[in-house]
Each structure stands twice: as structure tokens, then as C-alpha cells.
Amino acid sequence: MLLVLFIVVSITFFMVHSIPGDPLSASVENLPEATRANYYARYGLDKPLIVQYFMFWKLFITEGSLGESLKYPGRLVEEFIINYAPVSFGLGIWGLVIGVLLGIFLGILAALYKNKLPDYISTLIALIGICVPAFVLAALTQYFFTVKHNWFPTAGWGEPIHYVLPVLCMCFSPIATYCRYMKSTTLDIIDQDYILTAESKGLRRPAIIVKHVFRNTLMPIVTMLAPSVAGLFGGTFVIESMFAIPGLGTYFIKAINSRDYTMVIGMNFLFTATYVFSLLVVDLLYLVIDPRVRLEVKQNRRSVSSNVSEQ
Amino acid sequence: MKKYLSLILALCMILSMAACGAKEETPAAPAETTTTPAETTTTPEATGRVVNGEVIDEVQYLNYINSDEPGTLDEFHNSVAATGVVLSNLFTPLVRNMNGVLVGDGAESWETSEDGLTWTFHLRDNNWEDGTPVTSQDYLYSIQMKFKPETAFPYSGNWYPIIKNGEAVINGGDMSLLGVTTPDDKTIVIETEYVCPSLLNTLTFYPQKQEQYEKYGDKYGTEAETVLSCGPFKLDSWTHNSSLEFSRNEQYWDAENVYLEKMTFHTITENSTQYNMLDNGSVDYLSVADQDFIERFNAREDLVNTRVQTARTFLWFFNQQDKFLANEKVRKAITVSFDRDATVNVLLGGVPIKAEGLYTYVMMEGDKSIREASGNLISDMIASVPDAKALLAEGLAEVDPNMTPEKWTVKCGFGSTGDSMKTQAEYWQSVLINTLGVGSVELSFDDYATAKAGWDTGAYQIACLSWGSSADTTYMLNLFKTESNTIPTFWNNAEYDAIVTELSKTVDPEKRLELEVKAEHMLIDACVICPISYNCSNVFEYNYVRGVDRSPFGSSSFKTVYTVGRP
């Protein structure tokens, strides 16, 4: 896990430094050489790249710092992450949770009533969610709910009402993804023998759906959740800039254009860490949800220990 | 069937209600709640106040959109343009340009010496937010900080050529050499390296209290509470990437003539969000660049549109190290082939103004517009070339007898990846191919930093950029001097260099104008640059807003703004 993190951050480091142009030419023109040199020295950009690379890790390991932002002087990258990641993440989680729950619900409904009205409705919703990108949805809802009907504030942050439109826009895509996925897995499972067994046992339909169908569909859903959680930051960027939400999104986008090296690296560090961590959580979740995985783990252990004892 | 439908609906409602209910418990980020200034109560004296013959609103506030997050409010380290409007409301520059007129703010009066090189400013009595007086030391400290090599002031390129001995000091020379002195607490003397009549429109001299700055060091300007203001407004709170809240600074020398009690600057980067906010009245005025929205807002009766010229020139420039582009006929053929009327009116919806030379219409020498004095250089050039295609063929053949326009390939680089840039670029591509018969035209779009890196090394043929001009003609003309590499055309002309040098020593406005016109003629006649258009912005404001300053250069503030009849 740490290795992945290390490799990704290292690649990012060299990639971002290899883009032509530098933070100074991105923002100002016509600088005297001495000032340019001083500016580089202030951020250590005058040293060879490999030295900068070791300085980056040294700073990280000794002080736990990701360095000072180049575009926002005086502010450290980790401060941005600590202050603004919860904003982005909180928003994204709301969108994801609502989206996934609704998606699962609509998906099961669509499978159970295949080729009937509920199926058509949920397929339609899924289709909209897949086809219409978040920014179009954001522009439409913003125009409709804040200009045509002045029901919500156009932009701003701090009160619960500011959450409504962004979350609405954000939950559409997960609704679509999970609804379609849920529908196809449910259809698969309904045809399985153990469902037939359950039915022949005389279990009632809701019980079958909750105990047998739903539990089995959870596995692939959980697998998909990991990238979804990691993608939360990415997905909120556009929405953040549309609704002027002070999350990480706008900082990240601007950081690349203004060659704010430390910021780009810091952000990528965060995304990688989130992704790797969510993969770990998914693996652990498997254990909880699926008895078969638990069984496998136990058997492995037993075979390992028996191998050891044989020697 | 119906049962399930209602079930779905009920579930949706429950879910969304649960979501809303729980939302209120989530800690609302680091943000502070934005209170609408409408809730503030006014002092009884303010009622029925009459300004310019109109009874102004009892409650005075303004909502404004700043299109970027200020980098830092530390002016020595900031490199973000959007910070400017914040600083100009928080601090007192020596002199402000208010609607085109220079008015003393920090300075009560000022005078220039005979030779035009020494400026003496007499400060007025003004206080910092904490009640301590603003002295000439504060102005001196601010200027000296900009020239300390270790500050690495990002805009030092604008400063060091103008202030006397600036170049030596910024390269590590003794600070006492710098041409800024303070004979007493209320006087500051600034000496310039060359004659710069537009000094006060070119550089903005803000004061900075040393104690306050050193108290916070690197952290100064990163949060609202680190900043001590002395201008018309003070900063109450700064929610990063969301909003800045200001209130009137009662310590300001002219506080009784500052009408607004509260101001909110919303940080909104997304254009469509900005337009929506203007549309529903969340902001009081906005500069609109999008043609469709300009039409839409023009149709509204409660919005007033003012076209404001910004001092920005959109131009092409040629790499004269290139074999073919070193030929003047080739450059001239390209320069005259672009139809500026079509570009401005059709492509850009009549928003900008077509360019006639380097100087925009807002650049003045004394009370004369330099543009008008210099004439319509581009139009005249176009009229003088009847057949651009033949001229191109002639030029190419001069360099290489086997070269014809059909065989010629040219690369054009653009320092922007925006849609509007691409539309224009494709139009020009078609002009080069159809009108001039150029064989092939390659377009490349990069963000500014990448493009600039390529230009600096000479790895380009034709490039395109939008240049924000300064009020100082010497600064503008210096860009094309032999030693300058800012716009790397690799054009060398001793006569031009001599004219610019002479200009920098001339005080007499008549003589200056003559030199400025001459230098521009040389630049355009030699086709060093190919100006296309001058930027313009359409500023829409609600009809209850009064007194917004629209000076094209620098330091406008909201000091003079008030509202009459806000609904």
C-alpha cells in the first residue's frame, strides 16, 4: 500500500516538473533575472530536480509537510487538504450515498418488474444519469431552480440549503451506474438454483429478496464502491466550481494551470491515499459480507499451518 | 401498479427528507455563514441622505463577483490579478485614478520637478484601522520591500525599470541607493529613472505597516485577521474560495463620503454561475463577456449596459529567426490578410474594437489620445496592399526561389485553450489558406505557461497573445527593444531603440507624442506585431447602482458606490 503511494507520488513529481513552463511564467511577465533567481531559491526550484525530489520526501518525513503552495504564498498544502478536503468529501459522500441507495432500490425494482412500468422508469432515470454529464445537469438545475424560480441560492456555502442542488446533481451518476448494475446482477441471481430452493422451501417473496437476492448482489456493489469513493473528489470538481463551493476542486484545477507544483503533488497524494485506503476497506468488507470469503481465509490459514507443521 | 409507484415516490421522499434532516447536523465546513447585509440596521442620521440630487437608500450594501480567489493579500507575494480589487479597497494608494481623474488618496497634494524625474507627495492625516497614523515610513517600507531581492516580488518587472536605481537595488545593491526618500513623516519623494508622466497610472503605491507585516511574516495576508487596513473598507472575514466580507472603515480619512456599509465579494470562477447570479439579482453588477448573455441582459429593463474599454491588445507576433518570417513582405501579407471587421463583428459579436496599432484608445499623452494622434495604421496598410497573395509569393520567392505559398507550411501557436480562442484560430487558419493560398497551417493550443516557454526559446513561427498594456508608453515600447525578450520577436532595430531611449528622457508632451507615434509607426510598418483587436467589456449593473468607477488603469475602489431605490 505504501509502496503504491510512493510510486504514484514519485511519478507525479517528475511528471508535473517536466511540463514546459514554470510557476512564474504562468503568472507574471518580464521579470529581472535576480528576482527570478530569488523566487526559485525561495521554493528550492533552483536546485536540480533530483535534489528537489529528495527535499520533498525529507520535508514530508521529518515535518509531515507537503510544502508551501506556490500560488497562495504563506499557506501550506496540507492546510488546504485539512481544511477543504472535508468539504469536497462531505458533499461527495452525500451524493454517493443517496445515489447508491436509490440506484440499488431502482435496480432491484427494475429486475423484479422486468419489462413493466417500474423497469421503464428506472431505465429512463439511469439513461439520463449516464448520458447527461454532471456539468450540464448542474447548469440546468442552477438555471431552473435559482434563476427561473428563485428557490435556492445560486452559489454560496455554509447553510444546509447550499447542499441541495449540488447533491442533487451529484447523485444522478451513481443512481445510473448502480441501477443498471443492480438490475443485471439481480436478474442473474433470480435464476440461480438457491433462489428456486428458497422458493420451494416456501419462503415469502420479500424474505427471499432481502436475504438471498440482495445479499448476493452486495458483493459486486461493494467492489464498485472503492473506485467510486476515490473518485468522489474528481466528481465534485465541476460541481464545486459551478456552485462556488470552497472545496478542493477549484484549487486542484487551477494548480495545474498555474504550475503550482507542491499543490498538484499534494492533491495527488491525497487521491492516491484515498483510493488505496478504500481498496483496503473493500477487502475487509468482503470478510464481513460474504461467509464464503471468511471460509476461504480460514481454509488458507489451516493449510498454511498444516504445511508448517508437516515441515 | 399504482401501489408500487406510490411506494417509489414515498421512498424517494423519505430518503431525501432523511438526507436534508441529517445535513443540518453536518458541520458546515470551515466556512462561516454568510449573513445577508440587508439585516444590518442603519444609523438614524443616514436616513434621507441626498447625494447628487437623489435620496439614497437607507441600507447601503453591495454584492460583487471577483472571478478568482486572491492568492494572498500580501502585496509583495501576490501574483493573482483578482487580488488587486481587494487591495484597492483596503488600502490608500498615494493617488487614485477615479473615473479617469487623478485624485489624491493617501497624498493630499503632489508636485513634479522641472525635469520630470522627481515626484514629491504630501500625505494627509489618515489612520490605520487600529487608530495609529499612516506615515511616509509606511509607504517607504512598502516600496523597499518590493525591491528587496529576498522578497522575490513577482511584479518587480513593472517596478524596477521606473524607480531610480531600481535595477541595481533589486540585483542586490544597497537599499539606500533606491530613489525613494522620506524627508519627514508626512512627505515622501520618489525619483524615477526616466521621464514617466503616467507614473501614477502605472504603479500603485500602497502603504504597509512594518510591525503588522513582521508580526505575521509568511502568514501575513493569508487570513482576514492578519490584515490591517487603512482604506475605505476593512476586511471582516474571508472564507477562502467562497467570499470576502467588508465593512466601512471608520478610521479612513474620508469615511463620511464612503456610502457602502457592507460589501460582499463572491469568489465565482464559473462564467455561467456568474451570469445566473446577475440574472437573479444575487450580485449588483458584473462584466459580461459572453455574446449570448450580453443580448439576453440587454433585453432586461432593469439592467444598464456600459461598454468599458480595457487596456488590452490582442496581437500576433512573428519569429524573425524563422527564414521566411524574417522577410517583411511575408509578414506584411499575413498582417493585411486578416479581416478585422469580420473578426470583431462576426466572430466576437462586436464586443471588442478592431485594432489600428499597438496603443489602445485609452492610452493618453497629457489630454490627447495617442491612438487618435497616430492614426489608423492597420487600415492604411490594408488599403496600400491590393493583392496580399501576390505579396506573399514575392516575399517567399525572395528568400527561396523555389518556395511558393502552396508549398509553404506555417505553425501558429496560441497561449490559450479556450473555445473562443479556437474559433478565432480556425477562422485565421482558413484566411491563411483561402486568401493567401498557404499550403498548410498547423494550429497548436497550450496553456499560457507552456506556450510562453516555447516562445522564449524561439521554438515557434507565429504566435498569438493578449497583452494587458500599461499606461506608461515607455514600458510598452520597451517590450520591443533589442535587449527585451518579453515578447520574443527577435527584431532588432537601433533606430527604434534610440527613439524609445529619447522618449524616456523627454518631458514636453508635444515632443513625447511625436516620439510615441514615430515608434509605433516603425513597429507596425515593419510588421513586428500584427494587432487584431482591443478588448472591451460589457459591464451590466442594476439601475439602482451609482458611482461605479470604470478607469481602465489600476486602482478603482468602491469608495464612491451607492444605491438609489434598491428593491
Side-chain angles (χ1 to χ4, degrees), chain B residues 503-531:
Chain B
L503 174 68
S504 69
K505 292 181 185 128
T506 309
V507 185
D508 177 37
E510 288 293 320
K511 179 78 183 139
R512 285 181 64 87
L513 189 61
E514 195 182 301
L515 291 167
E516 283 154 354
V517 168
K518 207 165 151 192
E520 189 191 35
H521 276 257
M522 289 190 73
L523 273 177
I524 302 297
D525 289 347
C527 300
V528 179
I529 50 167
C530 164

PDB file of all heavy atoms in Angstrom, chain B residues 503-531:
ATOM      1  N   LEU B 503      12.541  59.031 -25.784  1.00  0.00           N
ATOM      2  CA  LEU B 503      11.233  59.242 -25.161  1.00  0.00           C
ATOM      3  C   LEU B 503      11.354  59.225 -23.641  1.00  0.00           C
ATOM      4  O   LEU B 503      10.734  60.025 -22.940  1.00  0.00           O
ATOM      5  CB  LEU B 503      10.249  58.153 -25.626  1.00  0.00           C
ATOM      6  CG  LEU B 503       8.890  58.147 -24.947  1.00  0.00           C
ATOM      7  CD1 LEU B 503       8.082  59.369 -25.332  1.00  0.00           C
ATOM      8  CD2 LEU B 503       8.119  56.880 -25.290  1.00  0.00           C
ATOM      9  N   SER B 504      12.200  58.318 -23.153  1.00  0.00           N
ATOM     10  CA  SER B 504      12.310  58.167 -21.713  1.00  0.00           C
ATOM     11  C   SER B 504      12.982  59.363 -21.052  1.00  0.00           C
ATOM     12  O   SER B 504      13.043  59.453 -19.839  1.00  0.00           O
ATOM     13  CB  SER B 504      13.057  56.876 -21.385  1.00  0.00           C
ATOM     14  OG  SER B 504      14.399  57.021 -21.775  1.00  0.00           O
ATOM     15  N   LYS B 505      13.517  60.306 -21.879  1.00  0.00           N
ATOM     16  CA  LYS B 505      14.172  61.486 -21.300  1.00  0.00           C
ATOM     17  C   LYS B 505      13.393  62.755 -21.595  1.00  0.00           C
ATOM     18  O   LYS B 505      13.802  63.850 -21.222  1.00  0.00           O
ATOM     19  CB  LYS B 505      15.577  61.629 -21.879  1.00  0.00           C
ATOM     20  CG  LYS B 505      16.518  60.525 -21.441  1.00  0.00           C
ATOM     21  CD  LYS B 505      17.895  60.736 -22.027  1.00  0.00           C
ATOM     22  CE  LYS B 505      18.805  59.582 -21.692  1.00  0.00           C
ATOM     23  NZ  LYS B 505      19.464  59.031 -22.881  1.00  0.00           N
ATOM     24  N   THR B 506      12.270  62.621 -22.294  1.00  0.00           N
ATOM     25  CA  THR B 506      11.551  63.804 -22.755  1.00  0.00           C
ATOM     26  C   THR B 506      10.393  64.152 -21.823  1.00  0.00           C
ATOM     27  O   THR B 506       9.625  63.270 -21.438  1.00  0.00           O
ATOM     28  CB  THR B 506      11.019  63.552 -24.179  1.00  0.00           C
ATOM     29  OG1 THR B 506      12.095  63.092 -24.977  1.00  0.00           O
ATOM     30  CG2 THR B 506      10.428  64.813 -24.770  1.00  0.00           C
ATOM     31  N   VAL B 507      10.280  65.431 -21.499  1.00  0.00           N
ATOM     32  CA  VAL B 507       9.208  65.883 -20.615  1.00  0.00           C
ATOM     33  C   VAL B 507       8.057  66.496 -21.417  1.00  0.00           C
ATOM     34  O   VAL B 507       6.888  66.259 -21.132  1.00  0.00           O
ATOM     35  CB  VAL B 507       9.735  66.932 -19.604  1.00  0.00           C
ATOM     36  CG1 VAL B 507       8.644  67.299 -18.601  1.00  0.00           C
ATOM     37  CG2 VAL B 507      10.956  66.395 -18.889  1.00  0.00           C
ATOM     38  N   ASP B 508       8.400  67.280 -22.428  1.00  0.00           N
ATOM     39  CA  ASP B 508       7.403  68.020 -23.187  1.00  0.00           C
ATOM     40  C   ASP B 508       6.373  67.093 -23.846  1.00  0.00           C
ATOM     41  O   ASP B 508       6.725  66.235 -24.662  1.00  0.00           O
ATOM     42  CB  ASP B 508       8.131  68.843 -24.265  1.00  0.00           C
ATOM     43  CG  ASP B 508       7.143  69.584 -25.148  1.00  0.00           C
ATOM     44  OD1 ASP B 508       6.122  70.040 -24.606  1.00  0.00           O
ATOM     45  OD2 ASP B 508       7.391  69.660 -26.368  1.00  0.00           O
ATOM     46  N   PRO B 509       5.077  67.258 -23.524  1.00  0.00           N
ATOM     47  CA  PRO B 509       4.067  66.338 -24.034  1.00  0.00           C
ATOM     48  C   PRO B 509       3.987  66.295 -25.561  1.00  0.00           C
ATOM     49  O   PRO B 509       3.798  65.228 -26.148  1.00  0.00           O
ATOM     50  CB  PRO B 509       2.758  66.877 -23.444  1.00  0.00           C
ATOM     51  CG  PRO B 509       3.143  67.757 -22.322  1.00  0.00           C
ATOM     52  CD  PRO B 509       4.507  68.264 -22.618  1.00  0.00           C
ATOM     53  N   GLU B 510       4.150  67.466 -26.193  1.00  0.00           N
ATOM     54  CA  GLU B 510       4.081  67.509 -27.662  1.00  0.00           C
ATOM     55  C   GLU B 510       5.163  66.622 -28.265  1.00  0.00           C
ATOM     56  O   GLU B 510       4.920  65.816 -29.164  1.00  0.00           O
ATOM     57  CB  GLU B 510       4.283  68.948 -28.157  1.00  0.00           C
ATOM     58  CG  GLU B 510       3.103  69.872 -27.883  1.00  0.00           C
ATOM     59  CD  GLU B 510       1.881  69.480 -28.692  1.00  0.00           C
ATOM     60  OE1 GLU B 510       2.046  69.108 -29.873  1.00  0.00           O
ATOM     61  OE2 GLU B 510       0.751  69.502 -28.128  1.00  0.00           O
ATOM     62  N   LYS B 511       6.361  66.803 -27.742  1.00  0.00           N
ATOM     63  CA  LYS B 511       7.523  66.070 -28.245  1.00  0.00           C
ATOM     64  C   LYS B 511       7.353  64.565 -27.955  1.00  0.00           C
ATOM     65  O   LYS B 511       7.656  63.717 -28.790  1.00  0.00           O
ATOM     66  CB  LYS B 511       8.775  66.636 -27.549  1.00  0.00           C
ATOM     67  CG  LYS B 511      10.075  65.971 -27.935  1.00  0.00           C
ATOM     68  CD  LYS B 511      10.578  66.468 -29.294  1.00  0.00           C
ATOM     69  CE  LYS B 511      11.847  65.739 -29.698  1.00  0.00           C
ATOM     70  NZ  LYS B 511      11.880  65.377 -31.106  1.00  0.00           N
ATOM     71  N   ARG B 512       6.837  64.284 -26.767  1.00  0.00           N
ATOM     72  CA  ARG B 512       6.622  62.873 -26.396  1.00  0.00           C
ATOM     73  C   ARG B 512       5.663  62.210 -27.366  1.00  0.00           C
ATOM     74  O   ARG B 512       5.899  61.107 -27.847  1.00  0.00           O
ATOM     75  CB  ARG B 512       6.060  62.779 -24.970  1.00  0.00           C
ATOM     76  CG  ARG B 512       7.078  63.024 -23.878  1.00  0.00           C
ATOM     77  CD  ARG B 512       6.442  62.876 -22.508  1.00  0.00           C
ATOM     78  NE  ARG B 512       5.980  61.502 -22.285  1.00  0.00           N
ATOM     79  CZ  ARG B 512       6.744  60.526 -21.807  1.00  0.00           C
ATOM     80  NH1 ARG B 512       7.983  60.770 -21.497  1.00  0.00           N
ATOM     81  NH2 ARG B 512       6.254  59.311 -21.643  1.00  0.00           N
ATOM     82  N   LEU B 513       4.560  62.901 -27.630  1.00  0.00           N
ATOM     83  CA  LEU B 513       3.549  62.348 -28.519  1.00  0.00           C
ATOM     84  C   LEU B 513       4.167  62.031 -29.884  1.00  0.00           C
ATOM     85  O   LEU B 513       3.927  60.970 -30.461  1.00  0.00           O
ATOM     86  CB  LEU B 513       2.401  63.350 -28.660  1.00  0.00           C
ATOM     87  CG  LEU B 513       1.161  62.846 -29.385  1.00  0.00           C
ATOM     88  CD1 LEU B 513       0.568  61.666 -28.644  1.00  0.00           C
ATOM     89  CD2 LEU B 513       0.118  63.950 -29.509  1.00  0.00           C
ATOM     90  N   GLU B 514       4.995  62.957 -30.334  1.00  0.00           N
ATOM     91  CA  GLU B 514       5.641  62.776 -31.630  1.00  0.00           C
ATOM     92  C   GLU B 514       6.486  61.498 -31.640  1.00  0.00           C
ATOM     93  O   GLU B 514       6.429  60.694 -32.571  1.00  0.00           O
ATOM     94  CB  GLU B 514       6.519  64.002 -31.874  1.00  0.00           C
ATOM     95  CG  GLU B 514       7.007  64.195 -33.286  1.00  0.00           C
ATOM     96  CD  GLU B 514       7.907  65.429 -33.337  1.00  0.00           C
ATOM     97  OE1 GLU B 514       7.421  66.538 -32.985  1.00  0.00           O
ATOM     98  OE2 GLU B 514       9.090  65.265 -33.683  1.00  0.00           O
ATOM     99  N   LEU B 515       7.263  61.312 -30.571  1.00  0.00           N
ATOM    100  CA  LEU B 515       8.132  60.134 -30.486  1.00  0.00           C
ATOM    101  C   LEU B 515       7.309  58.854 -30.376  1.00  0.00           C
ATOM    102  O   LEU B 515       7.632  57.824 -30.979  1.00  0.00           O
ATOM    103  CB  LEU B 515       9.070  60.250 -29.273  1.00  0.00           C
ATOM    104  CG  LEU B 515      10.145  61.327 -29.375  1.00  0.00           C
ATOM    105  CD1 LEU B 515      10.785  61.547 -28.018  1.00  0.00           C
ATOM    106  CD2 LEU B 515      11.195  60.928 -30.410  1.00  0.00           C
ATOM    107  N   GLU B 516       6.241  58.919 -29.580  1.00  0.00           N
ATOM    108  CA  GLU B 516       5.399  57.731 -29.395  1.00  0.00           C
ATOM    109  C   GLU B 516       4.776  57.298 -30.720  1.00  0.00           C
ATOM    110  O   GLU B 516       4.716  56.104 -31.038  1.00  0.00           O
ATOM    111  CB  GLU B 516       4.302  58.038 -28.357  1.00  0.00           C
ATOM    112  CG  GLU B 516       4.822  58.007 -26.937  1.00  0.00           C
ATOM    113  CD  GLU B 516       4.015  58.862 -25.971  1.00  0.00           C
ATOM    114  OE1 GLU B 516       3.108  59.585 -26.415  1.00  0.00           O
ATOM    115  OE2 GLU B 516       4.307  58.805 -24.772  1.00  0.00           O
ATOM    116  N   VAL B 517       4.328  58.299 -31.477  1.00  0.00           N
ATOM    117  CA  VAL B 517       3.727  57.998 -32.783  1.00  0.00           C
ATOM    118  C   VAL B 517       4.782  57.392 -33.705  1.00  0.00           C
ATOM    119  O   VAL B 517       4.547  56.394 -34.378  1.00  0.00           O
ATOM    120  CB  VAL B 517       3.116  59.291 -33.384  1.00  0.00           C
ATOM    121  CG1 VAL B 517       2.755  59.072 -34.846  1.00  0.00           C
ATOM    122  CG2 VAL B 517       1.906  59.716 -32.573  1.00  0.00           C
ATOM    123  N   LYS B 518       5.963  57.981 -33.687  1.00  0.00           N
ATOM    124  CA  LYS B 518       7.033  57.515 -34.570  1.00  0.00           C
ATOM    125  C   LYS B 518       7.404  56.056 -34.251  1.00  0.00           C
ATOM    126  O   LYS B 518       7.554  55.230 -35.159  1.00  0.00           O
ATOM    127  CB  LYS B 518       8.258  58.424 -34.366  1.00  0.00           C
ATOM    128  CG  LYS B 518       9.166  58.520 -35.581  1.00  0.00           C
ATOM    129  CD  LYS B 518      10.089  59.704 -35.386  1.00  0.00           C
ATOM    130  CE  LYS B 518      11.423  59.511 -36.085  1.00  0.00           C
ATOM    131  NZ  LYS B 518      12.403  60.533 -35.661  1.00  0.00           N
ATOM    132  N   ALA B 519       7.548  55.768 -32.970  1.00  0.00           N
ATOM    133  CA  ALA B 519       7.930  54.412 -32.579  1.00  0.00           C
ATOM    134  C   ALA B 519       6.862  53.410 -32.995  1.00  0.00           C
ATOM    135  O   ALA B 519       7.167  52.319 -33.503  1.00  0.00           O
ATOM    136  CB  ALA B 519       8.146  54.349 -31.067  1.00  0.00           C
ATOM    137  N   GLU B 520       5.607  53.776 -32.823  1.00  0.00           N
ATOM    138  CA  GLU B 520       4.536  52.851 -33.204  1.00  0.00           C
ATOM    139  C   GLU B 520       4.535  52.629 -34.714  1.00  0.00           C
ATOM    140  O   GLU B 520       4.387  51.500 -35.181  1.00  0.00           O
ATOM    141  CB  GLU B 520       3.174  53.387 -32.759  1.00  0.00           C
ATOM    142  CG  GLU B 520       2.091  52.330 -32.953  1.00  0.00           C
ATOM    143  CD  GLU B 520       0.679  52.854 -32.786  1.00  0.00           C
ATOM    144  OE1 GLU B 520       0.417  54.008 -33.150  1.00  0.00           O
ATOM    145  OE2 GLU B 520      -0.180  52.088 -32.304  1.00  0.00           O
ATOM    146  N   HIS B 521       4.737  53.703 -35.472  1.00  0.00           N
ATOM    147  CA  HIS B 521       4.806  53.559 -36.930  1.00  0.00           C
ATOM    148  C   HIS B 521       5.894  52.581 -37.332  1.00  0.00           C
ATOM    149  O   HIS B 521       5.702  51.757 -38.223  1.00  0.00           O
ATOM    150  CB  HIS B 521       5.028  54.920 -37.586  1.00  0.00           C
ATOM    151  CG  HIS B 521       3.758  55.686 -37.790  1.00  0.00           C
ATOM    152  ND1 HIS B 521       3.139  55.796 -39.022  1.00  0.00           N
ATOM    153  CD2 HIS B 521       2.965  56.344 -36.919  1.00  0.00           C
ATOM    154  CE1 HIS B 521       2.032  56.506 -38.884  1.00  0.00           C
ATOM    155  NE2 HIS B 521       1.900  56.855 -37.609  1.00  0.00           N
ATOM    156  N   MET B 522       7.042  52.662 -36.653  1.00  0.00           N
ATOM    157  CA  MET B 522       8.127  51.747 -37.004  1.00  0.00           C
ATOM    158  C   MET B 522       7.738  50.298 -36.738  1.00  0.00           C
ATOM    159  O   MET B 522       7.987  49.410 -37.557  1.00  0.00           O
ATOM    160  CB  MET B 522       9.382  52.079 -36.181  1.00  0.00           C
ATOM    161  CG  MET B 522      10.026  53.375 -36.610  1.00  0.00           C
ATOM    162  SD  MET B 522      11.625  53.564 -35.829  1.00  0.00           S
ATOM    163  CE  MET B 522      12.581  52.364 -36.748  1.00  0.00           C
ATOM    164  N   LEU B 523       7.114  50.092 -35.588  1.00  0.00           N
ATOM    165  CA  LEU B 523       6.715  48.722 -35.215  1.00  0.00           C
ATOM    166  C   LEU B 523       5.716  48.139 -36.194  1.00  0.00           C
ATOM    167  O   LEU B 523       5.826  46.996 -36.633  1.00  0.00           O
ATOM    168  CB  LEU B 523       6.051  48.722 -33.830  1.00  0.00           C
ATOM    169  CG  LEU B 523       6.911  48.596 -32.601  1.00  0.00           C
ATOM    170  CD1 LEU B 523       6.034  48.685 -31.372  1.00  0.00           C
ATOM    171  CD2 LEU B 523       7.645  47.256 -32.613  1.00  0.00           C
ATOM    172  N   ILE B 524       4.737  48.945 -36.546  1.00  0.00           N
ATOM    173  CA  ILE B 524       3.674  48.442 -37.412  1.00  0.00           C
ATOM    174  C   ILE B 524       4.160  48.352 -38.858  1.00  0.00           C
ATOM    175  O   ILE B 524       3.922  47.359 -39.547  1.00  0.00           O
ATOM    176  CB  ILE B 524       2.418  49.341 -37.315  1.00  0.00           C
ATOM    177  CG1 ILE B 524       1.926  49.420 -35.876  1.00  0.00           C
ATOM    178  CG2 ILE B 524       1.321  48.837 -38.241  1.00  0.00           C
ATOM    179  CD1 ILE B 524       1.462  48.119 -35.275  1.00  0.00           C
ATOM    180  N   ASP B 525       4.890  49.377 -39.323  1.00  0.00           N
ATOM    181  CA  ASP B 525       5.361  49.356 -40.713  1.00  0.00           C
ATOM    182  C   ASP B 525       6.273  48.168 -40.966  1.00  0.00           C
ATOM    183  O   ASP B 525       6.261  47.583 -42.046  1.00  0.00           O
ATOM    184  CB  ASP B 525       6.104  50.667 -41.041  1.00  0.00           C
ATOM    185  CG  ASP B 525       5.135  51.837 -41.116  1.00  0.00           C
ATOM    186  OD1 ASP B 525       3.915  51.566 -41.156  1.00  0.00           O
ATOM    187  OD2 ASP B 525       5.591  52.988 -41.103  1.00  0.00           O
ATOM    188  N   ALA B 526       7.078  47.811 -39.959  1.00  0.00           N
ATOM    189  CA  ALA B 526       7.973  46.666 -40.139  1.00  0.00           C
ATOM    190  C   ALA B 526       7.257  45.348 -39.847  1.00  0.00           C
ATOM    191  O   ALA B 526       7.874  44.286 -39.895  1.00  0.00           O
ATOM    192  CB  ALA B 526       9.186  46.816 -39.226  1.00  0.00           C
ATOM    193  N   CYS B 527       5.969  45.427 -39.518  1.00  0.00           N
ATOM    194  CA  CYS B 527       5.166  44.234 -39.233  1.00  0.00           C
ATOM    195  C   CYS B 527       5.811  43.351 -38.159  1.00  0.00           C
ATOM    196  O   CYS B 527       5.879  42.131 -38.306  1.00  0.00           O
ATOM    197  CB  CYS B 527       4.920  43.415 -40.490  1.00  0.00           C
ATOM    198  SG  CYS B 527       4.051  44.330 -41.742  1.00  0.00           S
ATOM    199  N   VAL B 528       6.298  43.991 -37.115  1.00  0.00           N
ATOM    200  CA  VAL B 528       6.859  43.228 -35.994  1.00  0.00           C
ATOM    201  C   VAL B 528       5.715  42.540 -35.252  1.00  0.00           C
ATOM    202  O   VAL B 528       5.801  41.382 -34.871  1.00  0.00           O
ATOM    203  CB  VAL B 528       7.628  44.163 -35.031  1.00  0.00           C
ATOM    204  CG1 VAL B 528       8.186  43.376 -33.858  1.00  0.00           C
ATOM    205  CG2 VAL B 528       8.727  44.882 -35.780  1.00  0.00           C
ATOM    206  N   ILE B 529       4.668  43.304 -35.094  1.00  0.00           N
ATOM    207  CA  ILE B 529       3.474  42.728 -34.484  1.00  0.00           C
ATOM    208  C   ILE B 529       2.283  42.983 -35.401  1.00  0.00           C
ATOM    209  O   ILE B 529       2.329  43.864 -36.255  1.00  0.00           O
ATOM    210  CB  ILE B 529       3.168  43.372 -33.107  1.00  0.00           C
ATOM    211  CG1 ILE B 529       3.178  44.890 -33.228  1.00  0.00           C
ATOM    212  CG2 ILE B 529       4.125  42.885 -32.051  1.00  0.00           C
ATOM    213  CD1 ILE B 529       2.588  45.597 -32.050  1.00  0.00           C
ATOM    214  N   CYS B 530       1.277  42.200 -35.225  1.00  0.00           N
ATOM    215  CA  CYS B 530       0.085  42.311 -36.045  1.00  0.00           C
ATOM    216  C   CYS B 530      -1.115  42.423 -35.109  1.00  0.00           C
ATOM    217  O   CYS B 530      -1.693  41.418 -34.705  1.00  0.00           O
ATOM    218  CB  CYS B 530       0.024  41.077 -36.946  1.00  0.00           C
ATOM    219  SG  CYS B 530      -1.550  40.765 -37.718  1.00  0.00           S
ATOM    220  N   PRO B 531      -1.471  43.644 -34.704  1.00  0.00           N
ATOM    221  CA  PRO B 531      -2.570  43.800 -33.752  1.00  0.00           C
ATOM    222  C   PRO B 531      -3.908  43.466 -34.397  1.00  0.00           C
ATOM    223  O   PRO B 531      -4.140  43.807 -35.555  1.00  0.00           O
ATOM    224  CB  PRO B 531      -2.516  45.282 -33.370  1.00  0.00           C
ATOM    225  CG  PRO B 531      -1.231  45.801 -33.916  1.00  0.00           C
ATOM    226  CD  PRO B 531      -0.893  44.946 -35.087  1.00  0.00           C
TER     227      PRO B 531
END
